[in-house]
């Protein structure tokens, strides 16, 4: 089938070929969603981590609540209350707590979703279809109810015979019966901190990656440049020469607008466009299948009008660029540095001849210049090989000139001041032609990294939520431990322990918990580095700077969460603490 593709599709002279121009067939859905699948899985993982942190907080809350009521459970059990009844009560309380939290979360999700989509409408494919549909509502309901039911079982730790007997005895509540439960609560806080560390590291890596992308040299100067698209319909402009004349006259009118320095046109708009991958014949170059020689195939064919390189600020490396005299002259092309290095290593390509594989009657084109590489496959991708042909020559050399072109102008005036003049110039040429996406080239650059910006924003939000929950969990466990150990602290202070020693005791416990959580989180983030590597640019998934910065931030947050309970511990009155027992 592939061998007969040219005859079946009518694409004579430009057909797939087993050795130089293979056809890549992908499912339509994969082509639509592109590489967003990995990003969405990362977001799902972030959501799961936040959910686990929230569940750990709920578990700690219910455990602490059960701890404060352990004498009540013991007395009720001694009076004949069954464990099932007490458990049903706690599970009901847990479900109510979780459902109320779920309702509040849905409200925040609705408003947050609207804000995110409004700020990033083109961030992911089919974003307009994203909503809180019945499936999402059902999932939220079951997660909320399930969380309440599962963690409503926390009183089980207080319902065994040993715990009941110890609670009834005087002082039994504050002895070794609590050691196991304290370990559970500490383990939950350690888990919260570890998960928060993983999320914050992921967000930090993506933020650094996004910063690297926005500072990438795209190969042209986007500042003070405005662009828009025009499509000359085949029915109204069937003649290629008429299309060339239209672009030349439009260029003249645009350059007459006050403040416009230069105007030009191009077929493919950088920094992100579809790859061409056109077979190209290089004079004197023979490709041998199976050898290490590069396949004679050019990634991007670019059609431009006179003055394009000057208008875009693309640097000339060797030779010259197109001028007005080339329109009626011999067929010429300009190539980029990547093409020159690939097919003319250790040679000067200027003066060499190449021929596009568009048919048997295509003439040879002479290379007249080499220009700097321009990003065409995205800012995160290396520049591909690129060949520039002059729009004015195409009717004569190839018998065809494209009707769809992107106009670019360099001007020191803002786009708002130029918009009316641009619309007037196009209207004078053809009132029926719409202007497509009038915007600055800086906006074009920004649109090419919308997905990375959206992913960084979401993960940052998740990381902040996770960090807040972990801080609350650390504060809660330390506050409860201080309350639980008031008698011990009072005795220590009665025996001569100073406030500094008590402060170090509580801070040491809190920071010890945080330290273990940080180490586990760093290990978890390192283990998942392969998952995030494809989403990063210019930064290693195990970047020591990011890991170190996150560790410091989490340690500072944990220290802040420990300060209030530690300060409270130093204010314990030894006499009142002992007398209360």
């Amino acid at each position: 089938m592939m061998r007969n593709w040219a005859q079946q599709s009518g694409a004579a002279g430009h057909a797939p070929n087993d050795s130089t121009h293979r056809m890549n067939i992908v499912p339509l859905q994969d082509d639509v969603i592109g590489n967003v699948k990995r990003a969405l899985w990362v977001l799902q993982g972030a959501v799961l981590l936040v959910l686990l942190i929230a569940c750990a907080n709920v578990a700690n809350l219910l455990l602490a609540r059960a701890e404060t009521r352990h004498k009540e459970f013991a007395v009720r059990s001694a009076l004949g209350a069954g464990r099932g009844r007490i458990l049903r009560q706690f599970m009901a309380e847990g479900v109510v707590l979780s459902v109320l939290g779920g309702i509040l979360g849905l409200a925040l999700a609705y408003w947050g979703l609207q804000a995110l989509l409004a700020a990033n409408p083109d961030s992911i494919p089919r974003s307009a279809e994203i909503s809180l549909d019945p499936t999402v509502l059902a999932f939220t309901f079951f997660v909320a109810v399930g969380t309440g039911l599962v963690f409503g079982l926390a009183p089980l730790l207080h319902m065994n015979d040993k715990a009941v007997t110890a609670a009834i005895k005087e002082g039994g509540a504050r002895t070794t019966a609590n050691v196991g439960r304290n370990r559970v609560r500490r383990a939950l806080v350690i888990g919260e901190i570890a998960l928060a560390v993983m999320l914050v590291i992921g967000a930090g890596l993506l933020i650094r990656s996004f910063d690297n992308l926005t500072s990438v040299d795209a190969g042209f100067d986007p500042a003070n440049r405005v662009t828009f698209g025009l499509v000359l319909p085949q029915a109204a402009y069937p003649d290629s020469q008429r299309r060339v004349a239209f672009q030349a006259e439009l260029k003249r009118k645009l350059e007459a607008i006050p403040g416009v320095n230069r105007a030009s046109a191009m077929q493919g708009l950088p920094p992100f466009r579809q790859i061409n991958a056109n077979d190209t014949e290089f004079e004197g170059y023979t490709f041998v299948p199976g050898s290490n020689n590069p396949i004679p195939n050019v990634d991007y064919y670019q059609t431009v009008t006179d003055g394009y390189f000057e208008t875009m600020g693309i640097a000339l490396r060797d030779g010259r660029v197109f001028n007005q005299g080339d329109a009626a002259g011999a067929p010429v092309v300009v190539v980029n540095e990547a093409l020159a290095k690939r097919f003319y290593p250790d040679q000067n390509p200027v003066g060499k001849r190449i021929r596009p594989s568009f048919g048997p009657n295509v003439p040879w084109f002479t290379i007249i210049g080499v220009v700097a590489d321009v990003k065409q496959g995205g800012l995160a991708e290396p520049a591909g090989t690129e060949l520039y042909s002059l729009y004015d020559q195409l009717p004569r050399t190839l018998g065809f000139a494209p009707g769809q072109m992107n106009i670019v102008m360099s001007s020191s005036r803002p786009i708002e001041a130029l918009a009316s003049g641009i619309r007037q110039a196009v209207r004078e040429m053809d009132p029926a032609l719409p202007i497509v996406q009038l915007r600055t080239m800086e906006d074009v650059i920004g649109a090419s990294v919308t997905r990375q910006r959206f992913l960084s924003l979401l993960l940052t939000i998740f990381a902040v939520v996770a960090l807040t929950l972990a801080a609350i969990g650390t504060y809660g466990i330390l506050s409860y431990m201080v309350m639980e150990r008031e008698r011990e602290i009072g005795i220590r202070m009665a025996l001569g322990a100073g406030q500094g020693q008590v402060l170090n005791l509580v801070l040491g416990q809190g920071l010890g918990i945080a330290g273990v959580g940080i180490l586990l989180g760093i290990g978890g983030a390192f283990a998942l580095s392969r998952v995030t590597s494809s989403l990063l640019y210019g930064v290693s998934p195990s970047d020591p700077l990011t890991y170190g910065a996150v560790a410091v931030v989490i340690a500072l947050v944990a220290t802040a969460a420990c300060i209030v309970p530690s300060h409270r511990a130093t204010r314990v009155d030894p006499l009142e603490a002992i007398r209360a027992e």
Side-chain angles (χ1 to χ4, degrees), residues 105-107 109-111 113-114 129-137 140:
L106 281 175
Y110 175 79
W111 294 109
L113 179 63
Q114 301 302 316
E129 302 175 29
I130 300 176
S131 64
L132 299 181
D133 58 19
T135 303
V136 174
L137 295 176
T140 305

Side-chain angles (χ1 to χ4, degrees), residues 395-554:
R396 177 166 51 87
T397 56
L398 299 182
F400 174 79
Q404 180 176 350
M405 296 290 283
N406 294 285
I407 315 301
V408 62
M409 298 174 294
S410 63
S411 172
S412 57
R413 299 181 65 193
I415 187 172
E416 296 79 11
L418 298 174
S420 60
I422 293 171
R423 294 190 180 95
Q424 178 64 28
V426 175
R427 193 179 303 116
E428 290 176 359
M429 295 292 299
D430 188 341
L433 289 182
I435 293 177
V436 182
Q437 289 188 303
L438 176 61
R439 49 186 173 162
T440 66
M441 284 302 298
E442 291 174 330
D443 290 338
V444 175
I445 293 283
S448 69
V449 294
T450 299
R451 186 173 302 168
Q452 290 89 341
R453 182 190 298 113
F454 181 71
L455 187 60
S456 301
L457 175 62
L458 273 185
L459 272 189
T460 300
I461 293 174
F462 291 152
V464 170
V465 172
L467 197 56
T468 303
L469 291 175
I472 292 173
T474 304
Y475 169 81
I477 185 66
L478 285 180
S479 293
Y480 186 79
M481 288 168 61
V482 168
M483 182 188 70
E484 191 178 47
R485 300 178 64 180
E486 278 185 359
R487 181 171 179 266
E488 175 194 338
I489 293 172
I491 293 174
R492 286 175 178 268
M493 296 183 72
L495 294 176
Q499 290 186 348
Q501 291 175 300
V502 174
L503 186 67
N504 291 336
L505 173 67
V506 180
L507 272 177
Q509 287 183 335
L511 295 180
I513 292 173
V516 174
I518 290 172
L519 291 176
L520 291 177
I522 289 176
F526 187 78
L528 294 176
S529 59
R530 290 186 179 181
V531 177
T532 57
S533 59
S534 64
L535 303 175
L536 303 178
Y537 176 79
V539 59
S540 168
S542 56
D543 177 55
L545 179 61
T546 302
Y547 279 60
V550 170
V552 171
V553 170
I554 299 292

Side-chain angles (χ1 to χ4, degrees), residues 92-439:
E93 292 176 358
V95 168
V96 170
L97 178 67
S98 299
V99 169
L100 290 177
I103 293 173
L104 177 61
L106 281 175
L108 293 174
Y110 175 79
W111 294 109
L113 179 63
Q114 301 302 316
L116 282 172
L117 294 180
N120 302 272
D122 302 320
S123 54
I124 56 176
R126 302 172 65 182
S127 60
E129 302 175 29
I130 300 176
S131 64
L132 299 181
D133 58 19
T135 303
V136 174
L137 295 176
F139 174 78
T140 305
F141 173 79
F142 284 116
V143 167
V145 173
T147 302
L149 289 174
V150 171
F151 294 104
L153 299 175
L156 280 176
L157 294 172
H158 303 271
M159 298 301 294
N160 58 70
D161 294 335
K162 183 179 179 181
V164 171
T165 303
I168 293 176
K169 294 180 179 179
E170 184 69 25
R174 310 261 173 129
T175 58
T176 57
N178 293 325
V179 173
R181 294 189 288 275
N182 280 337
R183 288 175 179 172
V184 172
R185 289 197 295 270
R186 291 179 185 180
L188 288 172
V189 174
I190 288 173
E192 289 183 55
I193 294 175
L195 295 176
V197 168
M198 293 169 63
L199 266 179
V200 176
I201 286 177
L205 290 173
L206 282 173
I207 290 172
R208 289 200 62 195
S209 177
F210 178 72
D211 183 63
N212 290 338
L213 277 177
T214 55
S215 59
V216 161
D217 181 11
F220 62 92
D221 184 6
N224 300 322
R225 282 163 176 81
V226 175
T227 184
F228 63 93
L230 276 183
V231 180
L232 304 180
Q234 179 69 25
Y237 298 87
D239 180 58
S240 295
Q241 194 59 53
R242 185 182 174 191
R243 297 175 196 164
V244 171
F246 179 96
Q247 294 292 350
E249 180 62 16
L250 178 61
K251 170 185 167 70
R252 186 187 65 80
K253 288 182 176 293
L254 292 175
E255 290 181 340
I257 298 174
V260 175
N261 302 320
R262 289 180 177 275
S264 188
M266 57 189 150
Q267 188 175 16
L269 183 66
F272 187 78
R273 50 174 288 207
Q274 293 297 320
I275 192 170
N276 300 121
N278 287 330
D279 290 338
T280 307
E281 187 177 355
F282 294 84
E283 187 178 36
Y285 180 87
T286 303
F287 172 71
V288 179
S291 67
N292 294 326
N293 295 333
I295 297 174
N297 187 278
V298 176
D299 297 324
Y300 299 100
Y301 269 35
Q302 178 71 294
T303 299
V304 302
T305 60
D306 175 39
Y308 169 75
F309 300 102
E310 297 88 343
T311 304
M312 288 286 285
I314 300 174
L316 177 66
R317 300 302 191 203
D318 197 6
R320 68 175 180 87
V321 295
F322 301 124
N323 58 42
Q324 293 181 349
D326 291 323
V332 292
V333 293
V334 173
V335 300
N336 70 341
E337 288 182 291
L339 186 146
K341 292 175 182 177
R342 185 174 179 84
F343 296 106
Y344 300 102
D346 303 322
Q347 300 181 57
N348 185 353
V350 176
K352 306 289 186 181
R353 298 198 306 168
I354 63 175
R355 180 164 59 183
S357 298
F358 290 163
N361 299 321
V362 175
W364 286 93
F365 288 76
T366 302
I367 299 175
I368 59 171
V370 180
V371 295
D373 294 334
V374 173
K375 297 280 189 176
Q376 297 285 4
L379 294 177
E381 300 298 325
T385 55
E386 189 166 11
L387 183 152
Y388 297 87
S389 54
L390 183 62
Y391 188 68
D392 302 52
Q393 285 191 343
L394 295 188
R396 177 166 51 87
T397 56
L398 299 182
F400 174 79
Q404 180 176 350
M405 296 290 283
N406 294 285
I407 315 301
V408 62
M409 298 174 294
S410 63
S411 172
S412 57
R413 299 181 65 193
I415 187 172
E416 296 79 11
L418 298 174
S420 60
I422 293 171
R423 294 190 180 95
Q424 178 64 28
V426 175
R427 193 179 303 116
E428 290 176 359
M429 295 292 299
D430 188 341
L433 289 182
I435 293 177
V436 182
Q437 289 188 303
L438 176 61
R439 49 186 173 162

